[in-house]
Amino acid sequence: MKYNRGSVLSLRLKGIYEDLSNNYEKAIEYYLQSLQAARNIRAQEYELAALSDLAIAYFSIREPEKAKQFYLQCARMTESDGKIPSLINTYNNLAVIYTQLKQYDSSHLLLEKAVQLGQPLERQGRISLSSTYNNLGNLYFKEKKYEEALPYFRQNLVRHNNDSDLSALWVAKLNLADVFIEKKQFDSATIYAEGAMKLAERLESKSKEADSYSILAKLAEYRGNYSKAYAYIKKWYSLDTAILHSDTYKTIAALQERFHASEREAENKLLQEKIEKETLRSRELTLVAAALGIIGLLIAIGFVIKRNAHRRLKATNDLIIQQNEKLSELNFEKNSLISIVSHDLNTPFATIQIWGQVLQNDANLTEEQQKAMNRILQAGAYGERLIRQILDVERADIGNHKMQLEKFDLRAFTEEMADNFRPMAERKKIALHTETSGKKLFILSDRYLVSRICENLLSNAIKYTPRGKNVWLHISEEQDGICIRVRDEGVGIDKEELPYLFSKYSKLSSRPTDGEASNGLGLSIVKRIVEEINGRITCESEVGKGSLFTVLLKK
């Protein structure tokens, strides 16, 4: 048939067989032969497959550095080839290696590239970025950034619930269980850990059952139930050891086969080794003397290099000190300029507001003139508020605010907040509801900063909620803290944009429903205020159904 690729395919199939039989040494030997055969006939697609096979095999025997070398070759080939799905797959594989090597920055860079390349294709339904999101979640988990990892694992849970991929669904549930264990939210962790175990049993996978028992043991340990943890560990050990024994037996068999083949050769070399032993002994003395001389020379060179490096370091430090002094001067000038500009801009805006109100009270205005005057007043108020927000962010006004602690009643505070925002809500026919417990709730905190938090969240909720819908302000007591929740029936936020929600000047795809202005500063200010008073803020949202912002403050 003159089919020149038969050798490449045959060698690769032999490698795959040995790989699945856990005989990795033989598998690597076949994969290397397949790689050479592919290069001989210049078949790039099979060369790429062989490189990927080798990387996976080395990863399986816990040699990530060698796996990385082959994946880097894959990356260079796929980048020159320009096939985006292959490139995304290679970036994912490399990112997993970098995560295992604790080179987290490199892993972030590769996964971000994979997301940028893949999102247009995913929207067209041509590929799935499920593996990329799972890798991002694992990367944040390794960095102990559990809040950042959580959205990615949840996203994959929803995705695989829909596509019925049970194996991927098991991974998502196991990851969610691990995150909730670290967050000490044990009820949620239990649900996902037990769900993962049921899937492992349904898939009849011993390795998945072993991993599920491992996570259940960790959960029991964190909850202080050590007897239960011990029972799970024994089950994990029985499964894991059975798998290990199978691998070990095959490895030993291969070692014995090689040993018998080399035993005869060893006997032939025995006499020759005795002769060479005496020769080597005399050489060793010469080598030791030479080595001592080289070590002395290296020490001298090292001393000179270290002294020169110290001089360069001192010069660099002096330069850094000078630059820092200059930056401090420039920063002081910048802050002074901001103060001057803010003072000067506040005056004309205040003047606009005063004269606008005077003109608005004139009964002789026509309906069109009254409408124009309302717009002038709204623009003036917006400009004044924008100046204050810019100053909060750029001049770090929150950090310079002198904390004034006072004990105040949150029930009265809630009603006051709602009354302030009801006119704004009524203009859009939005019903603003308040929900508090029956008893009085007191908190010791800075009333001004708590007001700023509620103002921003309520303003955003009304802005992003369509006419005729509802907004809720709910305050409750939870253990040793106070929980403030602002919920709306607005446009919602895309899950992919949630990690960037509290970034400064972030511009999201969601837009106000009535043409209101949005500058991307409000939520970054809220986050800074919450952190300033030792609180936490989270957001849950679904596009088209609304958002829930939760602020937890200590009493």
Side-chain angles (χ1 to χ4, degrees):
M1 291 173 64
K2 297 181 181 180
Y3 184 66
N4 67 345
R5 303 189 178 192
S7 175
V8 178
L9 294 170
S10 174
L11 288 165
R12 189 184 182 208
L13 286 171
K14 290 176 181 177
I16 291 170
Y17 170 79
E18 298 294 348
D19 200 335
L20 294 174
S21 303
N22 297 323
N23 190 357
Y24 295 111
E25 183 176 358
K26 201 70 178 172
I28 289 170
E29 183 182 338
Y30 281 126
Y31 288 151
L32 286 169
Q33 292 176 31
S34 177
L35 175 63
Q36 189 57 50
R39 286 174 174 169
N40 288 343
I41 62 172
R42 296 182 180 178
Q44 185 172 332
E45 67 274 25
Y46 294 114
E47 182 180 351
L48 192 63
L51 289 169
S52 181
D53 292 337
L54 282 162
I56 293 168
Y58 276 113
F59 185 78
S60 299
I61 60 175
R62 295 178 176 85
E63 290 197 36
E65 281 292 349
K66 285 193 175 181
K68 183 178 80 172
Q69 293 171 15
F70 286 110
Y71 275 138
L72 286 171
Q73 292 182 57
C74 288
R76 284 192 288 270
M77 289 183 68
T78 50
E79 283 173 349
S80 62
D81 190 37
K83 291 181 179 177
I84 292 177
S86 299
L87 192 56
I88 291 170
N89 186 52
T90 303
Y91 284 160
N92 270 312
N93 292 332
L94 258 177
V96 170
I97 299 293
Y98 280 123
T99 300
Q100 190 177 49
L101 293 170
K102 297 184 179 179
Q103 297 175 11
Y104 299 136
D105 289 343
S106 299
S107 188
H108 271 297
L109 182 63
L110 288 165
L111 291 173
E112 286 168 8
K113 282 184 178 180
V115 170
Q116 289 172 2
L117 289 171
Q119 279 182 341
L121 297 181
E122 188 179 45
R123 283 192 284 268
Q124 296 169 15
R126 292 168 58 187
I127 64 168
S128 169
L129 289 176
S130 172
S131 296
T132 307
Y133 296 137
N134 188 67
N135 291 338
L136 276 165
N138 283 326
L139 174 56
Y140 281 120
F141 184 86
K142 289 286 186 184
E143 294 177 306
K144 298 184 178 180
K145 297 178 179 177
Y146 305 120
E147 288 295 339
E148 286 86 345
L150 201 53
Y152 292 108
F153 293 149
R154 278 180 169 157
Q155 183 175 346
N156 272 356
L157 180 71
V158 173
R159 181 191 300 268
H160 298 309
N161 264 324
N162 293 334
D163 62 21
S164 300
D165 185 345
L166 298 184
S167 184
L169 187 60
W170 173 82
V171 172
K173 288 192 174 185
L174 200 73
N175 286 334
L176 282 167
D178 215 358
V179 170
F180 282 119
I181 289 171
E182 295 295 341
K183 287 166 63 64
K184 294 183 174 54
Q185 296 179 12
F186 300 131
D187 290 342
S188 297
T190 301
I191 292 169
Y192 289 115
E194 290 177 350
M197 174 57 76
K198 288 178 183 175
L199 281 173
E201 292 169 348
R202 185 175 170 187
L203 290 164
E204 298 181 352
S205 169
K206 296 299 181 186
S207 62
K208 285 182 171 60
E209 282 186 43
D211 289 341
S212 300
Y213 277 127
S214 176
I215 207 71
L216 283 166
K218 180 179 177 181
L219 173 59
E221 180 192 353
Y222 272 54
R223 300 189 85 160
N225 192 341
Y226 299 111
S227 60
K228 197 171 185 179
Y230 175 66
Y232 284 134
I233 283 291
K234 284 204 299 185
K235 290 180 180 178
W236 164 80
Y237 180 76
S238 65
L239 286 170
D240 193 70
T241 306
I243 297 165
L244 178 64
H245 282 171
S246 173
D247 295 345
T248 306
Y249 175 81
K250 290 168 185 171
T251 304
I252 291 171
L255 288 171
Q256 286 175 339
E257 187 179 345
R258 290 198 299 273
F259 173 77
H260 292 314
S262 62
E263 191 174 23
R264 290 184 294 274
E265 186 181 351
E267 290 174 356
N268 294 331
K269 291 182 179 179
L270 187 59
L271 288 174
Q272 186 179 351
E273 287 177 358
K274 288 181 179 178
I275 296 169
E276 291 176 349
K277 195 176 289 183
E278 291 299 324
T279 307
L280 286 171
R281 191 173 295 170
S282 61
R283 288 179 182 172
E284 283 173 1
L285 292 172
T286 306
L287 289 172
V288 168
L292 289 172
I294 292 170
I295 289 169
L297 180 62
L298 289 173
I299 290 171
I301 293 171
F303 177 76
V304 173
I305 291 171
K306 185 176 180 181
R307 185 175 61 184
N308 291 337
H310 179 73
R311 287 175 181 169
R312 288 195 298 271
L313 182 62
K314 187 176 183 303
T316 303
N317 287 339
D318 291 341
L319 179 61
I320 290 170
I321 290 169
Q322 292 174 9
Q323 289 174 336
N324 285 340
E325 290 174 353
K326 182 65 176 174
L327 285 172
S328 296
E329 292 175 7
L330 292 172
N331 191 51
F332 178 77
E333 290 178 9
K334 183 263 294 181
N335 288 339
S336 299
L337 180 61
I338 287 175
S339 297
I340 293 167
V341 170
S342 65
H343 179 270
D344 290 347
L345 284 176
N346 270 325
T347 301
F349 275 116
T351 305
I352 290 169
Q353 291 284 84
I354 292 168
W355 284 106
Q357 289 168 1
V358 170
L359 291 171
Q360 192 181 39
N361 293 330
D362 188 342
N364 296 323
L365 291 178
T366 65
E367 185 178 345
E368 283 298 317
Q369 289 171 337
Q370 190 68 35
K371 192 184 217 179
M373 189 53 60
N374 286 339
R375 288 179 179 172
I376 290 170
L377 290 172
Q378 287 174 2
Y382 173 72
E384 195 173 359
R385 186 168 64 255
L386 182 60
I387 290 170
R388 186 178 69 179
Q389 288 179 327
I390 292 171
L391 289 174
D392 280 344
V393 176
E394 303 299 340
R395 198 175 59 183
D397 184 57
I398 296 165
N400 294 330
H401 170 73
K402 187 175 180 181
M403 192 78 73
Q404 294 182 347
L405 297 178
E406 60 177 296
K407 191 172 184 180
F408 57 94
D409 181 9
L410 282 168
R411 288 184 62 191
F413 172 82
T414 303
E415 292 300 328
E416 181 183 334
M417 284 291 107
D419 288 343
N420 290 341
F421 279 89
R422 277 204 174 86
M424 181 179 176
E426 287 170 359
R427 280 197 291 272
K428 294 178 72 173
K429 301 189 184 314
I430 291 172
L432 180 55
H433 310 277
T434 59
E435 297 176 354
T436 56
S437 59
K439 61 180 182 178
K440 289 188 177 182
L441 292 177
F442 287 93
I443 187 172
L444 181 64
S445 188
D446 188 307
R447 186 186 181 97
Y448 167 73
L449 293 182
V450 177
S451 298
R452 292 289 305 281
I453 293 168
C454 293
E455 286 171 3
N456 275 285
L457 293 179
L458 283 171
S459 175
N460 275 358
I462 295 169
K463 275 185 190 178
Y464 290 90
T465 298
R467 291 175 172 272
K469 296 288 186 177
N470 297 279
V471 171
W472 291 267
L473 172 60
H474 176 84
I475 297 185
S476 61
E477 185 176 22
E478 295 195 3
Q479 294 180 351
D480 60 342
I482 295 294
C483 189
I484 301 173
R485 293 184 178 89
V486 176
R487 180 163 66 90
D488 62 58
E489 295 178 330
V491 295
I493 302 159
D494 195 301
K495 287 185 179 179
E496 294 177 1
E497 295 177 344
L498 281 174
Y500 314 105
L501 186 61
F502 297 104
S503 302
K504 191 191 296 185
Y505 299 111
S506 62
K507 289 291 184 182
L508 308 179
S509 58
S510 302
R511 290 289 178 266
T513 59
D514 217 23
E516 297 98 329
S518 175
N519 52 44
L521 291 170
L523 289 177
S524 70
I525 293 171
V526 170
K527 189 173 188 296
R528 288 177 59 195
I529 296 173
V530 170
E531 290 173 351
E532 183 71 19
I533 55 180
N534 296 321
R536 288 187 295 109
I537 182 168
T538 58
C539 175
E540 301 171 33
S541 187
E542 187 174 347
V543 174
K545 293 187 177 180
S547 304
L548 169 63
F549 286 85
T550 303
V551 178
L552 189 62
L553 303 175
K554 291 184 179 179
K555 286 185 180 179

